[in-house]
DNA sequence: CGGCTCTGTGCTAACGTTAGCACTACTGGT
DNA sequence: ACCAGTAGTGCTAACGTTAGCACAGAGCCG
């Protein structure tokens, strides 16, 4: 690797002069600057950020810690962050945890060792205490999920309200056997969505056994497929399904279409998230739309401001985005009548 | 930030002793090691990789440079690389170029300054010459697309053969007005897919005007939607469509289902890639399946070996994965008869 | 013409870590 | 009692860059 010293020796000047010329220091003559820049370009010199960091310069790397980049929520977030960060000179480091707190800890250790400027994290269900310690030593912000022992900087969506609306839509159509398929209750999002489901039932004046919750692993296509198979072949088949994650929705839709279940005649479905295929699935999937992109942009801008302004304004900051129900054709009243959009 | 010096002062030993204790040097007594580790843990010490790198240690960051993480091809690649790299102690840096060579160059400059250990890149159509220079100074490997002026380390798929098969399937069913929708010819992949399309027509003994190519931006859902709209409303409506990118396929499917086009009776379609929704779209989408995951894993393992083994075995290395045609219900002979799978 | 400012450059230390060498205090053999 | 060997630790330099200070030479004023 070419260093400032190599350039200095070649031109017969000192390293300081080279450094200053490259930094466009006003004390250096234009002629010297020109010669230095020429040589630097010739020799393929690229400044060493590691060395700069040792002199107190801060890292230009922001880390994103998420469960799985293949989930479109997270790839949307990654894209939005990357785009915004890049324009401010930051690079994005990607760490996948697969919802495993040990992997999460491993990543956070590496990120700390690499002295990243900040961490944007979708925390696992119950982060290891060392993870919490490492995060607290860095500028960080939580995304989607919110763990109380981490800071109160958080960008998320109103999961409870989103599921309340989704469920209320079914209740309004007269369903009395509704199954909710969602992630584990340990996850803040899982708990919130379940609360939303339950309160919609309560508010609809339904009996306790009107709603069943089928909780499974956080983000599993398989869990969706299998649960559908089990529910449809068991006794007391529900007349409606509300879903609580994107991956789950993908699995459910696939299985329903494989089994040829008539939607919404035999079964009503409300999905979660909005993927390209959801609009052309069966009669069109009625689903919970979430402004993930806007949330990610908001988070990126907040973090940039946080990093650019010197005083560490670590004050609590929370942004909650609302969800909305996208009405298509996958819900109807349980007696077979069709009334999509009658929320 | 806590340094080895802080620990040394607290324990009344030298920095060297602390460093050696943490490195588990056999010359240090067990008792000292214990005390040092205790103190390090107490004080929340995290080694500074920037400083280590200055002493010749290599970076543990591998960069992935791709057009857009939201494209499922790339998110699959990112996931697979991340998973494999993480288990070997590497972190993944994510850079999105949006197929813009200037953005590509900006990223490569940053990556070089950050002294990443290696770069895995899906190069843009015509990389800037400085980009080539920067890449050549680093261990790197190309993915999917292959630019001749970069090294000959490349992992990709046989695009030409994949499109030849897709097109041949339609030709065999008797189609004589086939449109190909794909990315620009400047892209190595775009050119290869177009070649495949054309040679299938030639081999099928079709006249020159049997196939039309509609080329557009590399990876655009909109281009898919718009081209379908234009083709269907114009004269000489094709009886079959072959698609040459995932995003294009998403746009086309959306538009076809919005317009209520009867597939395969009115129009046959062969897609590109295989997304969850493709199996439940209309009659099921016949599509080109590509072993992206296997390719990414292969690439990750190759790069790991390249980085772990000292001698820079930069010898040419090329791996080509084959594609396969996944037969579902979206193709039939143009006279209205249905014969999916009669390739 | 001595002392001043101004311009352009060099020297040196420092950042945190590690490796080579040096040093001290034992142990055991003769 | 003396020397060799060894275990345990400290000192110092080096990595590439930058900032503070020093310094040489030129031009200018009194």
């Amino acid at each position: 690797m070419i260093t400032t010293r190599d350039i200095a020796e070649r031109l017969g000047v000192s390293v300081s002069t080279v450094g200053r010329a490259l930094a466009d220091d006003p004390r250096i003559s234009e002629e010297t600057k020109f010669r230095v820049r020429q040589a630097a370009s010739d020799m393929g010199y690229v400044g060493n950020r590691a060395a700069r960091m040792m002199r107190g310069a801060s890292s230009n790397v922001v880390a994103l810690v998420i469960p799985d980049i293949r989930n479109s929520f997270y790839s949307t977030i990654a894209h939005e962050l990357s785009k915004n960060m890049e324009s401010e000179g930051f690079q994005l480091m990607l760490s996948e945890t697969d919802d495993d707190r040990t992997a999460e800890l491993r990543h956070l250790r590496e990120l700390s060792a690499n002295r990243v400027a900040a961490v944007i994290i979708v925390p696992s269900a119950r982060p290891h205490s060392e993870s919490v310690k490492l995060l607290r030593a860095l500028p960080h912000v939580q995304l989607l999920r919110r763990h109380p022992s981490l800071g109160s900087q958080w960008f998320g969506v109103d999961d409870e309200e989103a599921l309340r609306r989704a469920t209320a839509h079914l209740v309004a159509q007269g369903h009395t056997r509704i199954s909710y398929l969602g992630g584990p209750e340990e996850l803040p999002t899982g708990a919130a969505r379940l609360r939303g489901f339950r309160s919609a039932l309560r508010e609809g004046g339904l009996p306790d056994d009107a709603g069943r919750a089928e909780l499974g692993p956080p983000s599993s296509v398989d869990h969706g497929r299998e649960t559908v198979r089990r529910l449809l072949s068991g006794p007391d088949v529900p007349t409606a399904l509300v879903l609580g994650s994107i991956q789950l929705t993908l699995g459910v839709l696939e299985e329903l279409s494989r089994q040829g279940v008539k939607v919404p005649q035999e079964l009503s479905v409300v999905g979660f998230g909005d993927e390209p295929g959801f609009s052309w699935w069966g009669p069109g999937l009625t689903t919970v739309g979430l402004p993930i992109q806007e949330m990610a942009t908001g988070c990126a801008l907040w973090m940039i401001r946080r990093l650019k302004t010197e005083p560490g304004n670590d004050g609590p900051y929370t942004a909650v985005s609302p969800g909305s129900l996208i009405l298509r054709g996958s819900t109807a009243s349980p007696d077979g009548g069709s009334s999509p959009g009658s929320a």
Side-chain angles (χ1 to χ4, degrees), chain A residues 2 20 61 77 140 148 151 160 248 268 270 289:
Chain A
I2 307 295
R20 283 194 273 253
V61 177
I77 288 171
H140 67 281
E160 182 169 349
L248 221 43
S268 286
V270 179

Side-chain angles (χ1 to χ4, degrees), chain A residues 44-222:
Chain A
Y45 169 80
V46 180
N48 186 335
R49 179 160 283 114
R52 292 207 177 112
M53 281 171 66
M54 296 223 38
R55 293 268 327 161
S58 76
S59 155
N60 72 333
V61 177
V62 171
L64 174 64
V65 183
I66 53 175
D68 189 338
I69 190 69
R70 291 170 304 177
N71 182 319
S72 78
F73 271 18
Y74 301 130
S75 62
T76 303
I77 288 171
H79 172 80
E80 217 58 37
L81 288 174
S82 167
K83 203 176 58 180
N84 286 288
M85 292 294 176
E86 201 252 7
S87 65
E88 297 289 331
F90 290 103
Q91 292 285 117
L92 198 68
M93 196 101 136
L94 179 68
S95 302
E96 287 186 294
T97 63
D98 197 27
D99 270 315
D100 171 13
R101 55 196 221 123
T102 308
E104 180 181 63
L105 176 57
R106 271 201 307 273
H107 277 293
L108 288 173
R109 281 199 185 126
E110 286 297 330
L111 297 173
S112 301
N114 277 85
R115 296 291 190 271
V116 297
V119 175
I120 298 173
I121 186 171
V122 178
S124 68
R126 284 158 36 246
H128 197 287
S129 70
E130 190 187 337
S131 299
V132 174
K133 214 159 115 186
L134 288 169
L135 273 172
R136 285 182 160 283
L138 282 169
H140 67 281
V141 56
Q142 298 180 75
L143 223 52
L144 294 173
R145 302 178 191 162
R146 180 178 186 173
H147 195 269
S149 68
L150 294 173
S152 52
Q153 285 85 30
W154 178 71
F155 282 77
V157 297
D158 191 341
D159 287 296
E160 182 169 349
E161 180 59 18
L163 253 104
R164 187 207 308 270
R165 285 193 210 168
T167 311
H169 173 63
L170 293 168
V171 170
Q173 291 184 316
H175 289 274
T176 53
R177 284 205 312 280
I178 307 176
S179 280
Y180 163 71
L181 277 61
E185 221 173 333
E186 310 150 18
L187 246 33
T189 43
R193 289 170 199 163
L194 185 55
R195 273 200 307 279
F197 172 67
R198 293 226 169 104
S199 55
L201 295 175
R202 216 178 310 117
E203 288 158 13
L206 290 179
D208 281 357
D209 63 347
R212 301 254 183 80
E214 307 280 347
L215 307 184
S219 185
S220 160
V221 179
D222 286 343

Side-chain angles (χ1 to χ4, degrees), chain A residues 179-182 214 220-238 240-243 247-263 266-269 281:
Chain A
S179 280
Y180 163 71
L181 277 61
E214 307 280 347
S220 160
V221 179
D222 286 343
H223 176 235
R225 271 194 286 256
E226 283 157 21
T227 311
V228 165
R229 232 169 298 174
R230 185 161 46 75
L231 288 178
L232 293 185
S233 65
D236 246 6
V237 177
L241 256 39
V242 204
L243 309 178
Q247 302 297 96
L248 221 43
T249 304
L250 288 170
V252 166
L253 297 191
E254 190 188 309
E255 187 64 22
L256 289 176
S257 63
R258 217 164 55 81
Q259 296 205 13
V261 176
K262 287 199 175 53
V263 174
E266 298 176 20
L267 186 73
S268 286
V269 182
W281 178 82

